[in-house]
Amino acid sequence: MRKKLLTVLAMSSIYLLSGCVGDEIDDMQKQIDTLEEKVTDLEASQQEALLAAIAALETSIAELEATGSEQYTALLENLATMEEEIQSNASAIYYGNLLTQEDYDAMTAQGASIVTGKVIASKSAHITALADIKLIGGELVLTVSESASLPMLENVGENLVITGSTGDAAIEFGALTSVGGSFEVIDNAGLATLTADALVLVNDELHTENNSALTSLSFANLDMVEEVYINEYWSEDPRGVGISGISSIDLSYVNVVGDANIMYVGGGSLTLGNIGGGFKSIYNELTSIEITSESIGGDFIVEYNGVLENLLVDGIKTINGNLSVSFNDNGYYWDATEKTGLVTMPAFEALEYVGGDFKIDTNNQLTSMESFNAVTEIQGTNISISSNSTGMDLVNVLNALTTTGPNQYSNANIFIFQQTNWFDGFAALTIAADVSITINKPTDGGGGIGIGFRTTATTDVAKLEGFDALTEVKTLSINATELTEFNAFGALNNFLNYQTYLSLYMPSDSNVSMCSMEPILAKIKNGDFDVSWSTDRKAYFSFNWSEVDRDTAYDQLTAGCTL
């Protein structure tokens, strides 16, 4: 803007040399005065806007400071110092954008430390020119293809975007504490490392995607962000899985207002604080995931984490969406030669409520599961515990559960298919919809392509207990063919379905009795559930895969009972 004034002054000189009359000179002077007033007004309005933005940020930070974090106290002090500089040192402020080399030259000549507008840095000369900049009021876009450091930059008022880096680049922000918009790292074929270890606050989304050379992300002091979206899918992964080369990720114990989605990260440990939305970790090679939040505002999904060793979540009390911990082993790697994956399901000892479906499926390295025994309510329509390795010694789950389904008129379906020495669960549940349960003996080996499962179990015992308070179901299917002991469904007395309400595949060992179910089996034998208007309402019994009548079934299943 000031260059335009110089141009106008030069024009007025030409007029003088040409012998312009006094009235024309006066008119030109008035135009110059008007332009100066407009520039002054524009600078004032930009200064006011910048101060207003800082004030708004200070208000948000003051609320966060109430949590007792020293990080926010330091950030407030930093912003207060910045306000004083804006108000007292006019030469420190460059009014406008930095988009062209001409803009950069003007800013450098001025010696400014604050830029009010948008900044695009596309070459090393731009990075050098920004070395002393402390505050950028608008958006910062870095498209450089070499390593870059902005050691003095403390605050970005709008978005911070890193994109288009093609060289072997390391980018570091040594002093950056806050970003007023989103922090986006997208489409950088050459970016190797990104470090912003002083960063405390991102007012919008932290988003990284399609950075094929990235090996390290470090935000060691990040405390608050609106959302986290990390999707580093790598199309050239030789295994065809898509997992990237990131081997280190440090998000501190960042608190996430909304969703946290982490995908295709190639290594390291993940730590998160509070999560207001959903959490998703899929197709990662993280060895450890720790979440200190007491509540998950949406879904909790941990799937396809092939080398996961530790899932630390024992502070979570509520999950307001679906819960799935599934496929967490390397059995889907075609080139896997050694078995890895989650061995022990975490207890989830504080968890009381799940607002959606519940799924614990196909974790092929699990050896035991004593989990979810404080959960009292699952509001979803499906509960599934299935195919978690062939060699589990114990599954003890959901023994405090009393309420399922989305409302009082709809209960959840329960599907259990597991090889284990001992299953015990659902001790307090009184009503369910369709229940299907298969408990088989553990076996050695199996699992993945050319690899085996871990096992601590024996191969000659399969015991089914639980469902002690269950009185009513829609349908019940029990595959007891491999059972060696049975003590379940002792309170069951009614079926709601008017077709095949019970399917019971009897123990292959005829010496195994099902005494706990004798009362309901007696009612079936006596025809208590028969209806005159339909022969479709029935119980189906099978022994060694051949159907048997209900009288024969009752006699065999209660032969060892004391009646």
Side-chain angles (χ1 to χ4, degrees):
M1 294 176 182
R2 296 191 179 277
K3 288 189 174 185
K4 291 180 179 178
L5 287 176
L6 293 173
T7 302
V8 173
L9 288 169
M11 289 175 61
S12 67
S13 299
I14 294 171
Y15 273 105
L16 284 169
L17 292 171
S18 302
C20 292
V21 296
D23 290 342
E24 292 175 332
I25 294 173
D26 292 341
D27 184 58
M28 183 66 67
Q29 185 61 51
K30 290 178 181 178
Q31 293 181 38
I32 293 171
D33 292 341
T34 301
L35 283 172
E36 286 181 334
E37 289 174 3
K38 288 181 178 180
V39 169
T40 301
D41 291 343
L42 184 58
E43 289 180 351
S45 65
Q46 288 189 3
Q47 184 182 35
E48 289 173 2
L50 188 60
L51 290 171
I54 291 174
L57 184 60
E58 285 177 323
T59 300
S60 299
I61 294 170
E63 295 173 359
L64 295 171
E65 188 187 20
T67 63
S69 172
E70 295 180 1
Q71 293 171 306
Y72 290 113
T73 300
L75 186 52
L76 279 173
E77 292 173 354
N78 170 271
L79 289 171
T81 302
M82 199 74 68
E83 278 184 302
E84 292 176 5
E85 187 167 2
I86 291 170
Q87 292 171 330
S88 62
N89 186 3
S91 64
I93 307 170
Y94 179 84
Y95 293 96
N97 301 320
L98 295 182
L99 307 178
T100 67
Q101 188 59 50
E102 185 180 32
D103 297 332
Y104 275 94
D105 291 342
M107 183 273 295
T108 302
Q110 183 180 325
S113 59
I114 297 168
V115 178
T116 63
K118 178 177 182 177
V119 175
I120 296 179
S122 58
K123 52 188 178 181
S124 58
H126 294 166
I127 298 299
T128 300
L130 294 171
D132 294 325
I133 296 298
K134 297 179 181 179
L135 170 66
I136 295 172
E139 182 178 55
L140 171 60
V141 181
L142 298 182
T143 61
V144 292
S145 291
E146 59 274 324
S147 295
S149 175
L150 296 176
M152 300 299 291
L153 183 64
E154 298 173 357
N155 308 97
V156 175
E158 297 179 7
N159 299 332
L160 195 164
V161 180
I162 302 171
T163 188
S165 175
T166 57
D168 183 12
I171 294 180
E172 181 175 5
F173 299 92
L176 183 67
T177 56
S178 70
V179 175
S182 61
F183 195 139
E184 302 173 16
V185 187
I186 301 174
D187 297 331
N188 296 281
L191 180 63
T193 65
L194 173 62
T195 305
D197 285 342
L199 185 62
V200 175
L201 174 67
V202 177
N203 211 36
D204 205 329
E205 182 182 52
L206 174 61
H207 183 163
T208 82
E209 187 171 6
N210 197 28
N211 303 288
S212 57
L214 193 61
T215 61
S216 174
L217 278 172
S218 185
F219 301 92
N221 281 289
L222 188 59
D223 185 75
M224 184 71 70
V225 62
E226 182 68 25
E227 291 193 349
V228 175
Y229 182 85
I230 296 175
N231 182 351
E232 290 302 335
Y233 175 79
W234 181 37
S235 61
E236 298 180 20
D237 180 3
R239 296 168 299 182
V241 180
I243 295 176
S244 70
I246 295 179
S247 58
S248 176
I249 179 170
D250 188 350
L251 295 180
S252 182
Y253 284 89
V254 61
N255 298 300
V256 185
V257 177
D259 296 335
N261 295 311
I262 315 294
M263 294 165 280
Y264 300 101
V265 172
S269 300
L270 177 67
T271 56
L272 296 173
N274 295 323
I275 300 176
F279 172 73
K280 181 187 294 184
S281 171
I282 62 171
Y283 289 107
N284 294 307
E285 288 191 338
L286 299 164
T287 57
S288 176
I289 298 172
E290 181 179 3
I291 298 173
T292 62
S293 184
E294 292 188 355
S295 175
I296 304 296
D299 295 340
F300 182 91
I301 309 295
V302 179
E303 295 180 346
Y304 297 101
N305 296 274
V307 300
L308 185 63
E309 298 174 357
N310 297 302
L311 181 57
L312 306 173
V313 290
D314 282 343
I316 297 176
K317 296 180 179 179
T318 61
I319 294 172
N320 288 309
N322 300 316
L323 180 152
S324 177
V325 182
S326 304
F327 308 102
N328 293 296
D329 65 273
N330 65 340
Y332 60 94
Y333 293 2
W334 68 266
D335 62 343
T337 58
E338 295 183 4
K339 47 186 176 280
T340 61
L342 192 62
V343 174
T344 302
M345 182 64 60
F348 283 86
E349 61 187 20
L351 184 64
E352 298 175 352
Y353 172 84
V354 177
D357 289 345
F358 179 100
K359 183 172 77 168
I360 309 296
D361 286 0
T362 322
N363 298 285
N364 287 321
Q365 298 305 320
L366 279 183
T367 59
S368 65
M369 185 191 314
E370 293 187 79
S371 310
F372 308 106
N373 285 312
V375 175
T376 59
E377 182 174 1
I378 297 175
Q379 279 206 330
T381 56
N382 292 290
I383 298 171
S384 176
I385 301 173
S386 174
S387 304
N388 294 287
S389 96
T390 64
M392 297 184 71
D393 56 4
L394 174 63
V395 178
N396 186 326
V397 293
L398 294 169
N399 283 300
L401 182 66
T402 58
T403 305
T404 71
N407 55 59
Q408 61 180 323
Y409 306 107
S410 179
N411 300 291
N413 302 312
I414 299 173
F415 179 77
I416 311 293
F417 184 94
Q418 194 57 59
Q419 290 180 253
T420 181
N421 289 141
W422 183 13
F423 180 94
D424 188 8
F426 298 88
L429 188 65
T430 59
I431 187 170
D434 297 318
V435 177
S436 175
I437 183 164
T438 298
I439 300 300
N440 289 332
K441 297 174 183 177
T443 55
D444 291 324
I449 302 174
I451 59 175
F453 294 124
R454 291 184 175 97
T455 179
T456 60
T458 62
T459 59
D460 56 354
V461 175
K463 179 167 61 173
L464 171 57
E465 295 184 337
F467 295 93
D468 305 311
L470 192 67
T471 59
E472 189 171 77
V473 296
K474 183 179 178 183
T475 66
L476 174 61
S477 175
I478 303 175
N479 185 340
T481 56
E482 296 191 19
L483 288 183
T484 57
E485 294 183 52
F486 181 91
N487 185 20
F489 299 100
L492 186 63
N493 61 28
N494 192 30
F495 301 96
L496 300 176
N497 193 44
Y498 280 86
Q499 292 183 324
T500 302
Y501 55 83
L502 173 66
S503 298
L504 203 166
Y505 300 86
M506 299 158 57
S508 297
D509 182 350
S510 59
N511 294 314
V512 176
S513 299
M514 300 179 70
C515 300
S516 59
M517 285 188 69
E518 189 279 331
I520 193 72
L521 292 173
K523 293 179 73 172
I524 293 169
K525 176 184 177 181
N526 294 334
D528 290 8
F529 300 108
D530 295 349
V531 292
S532 59
W533 41 268
S534 176
T535 59
D536 291 335
R537 193 178 201 221
K538 62 183 180 180
Y540 172 83
F541 295 94
S542 171
F543 178 66
N544 288 335
W545 308 108
S546 295
E547 185 174 2
V548 298
D549 63 69
R550 60 193 184 185
D551 291 336
T552 301
Y554 175 84
D555 291 343
Q556 180 172 318
L557 292 172
T558 61
C561 306
T562 302
L563 303 177

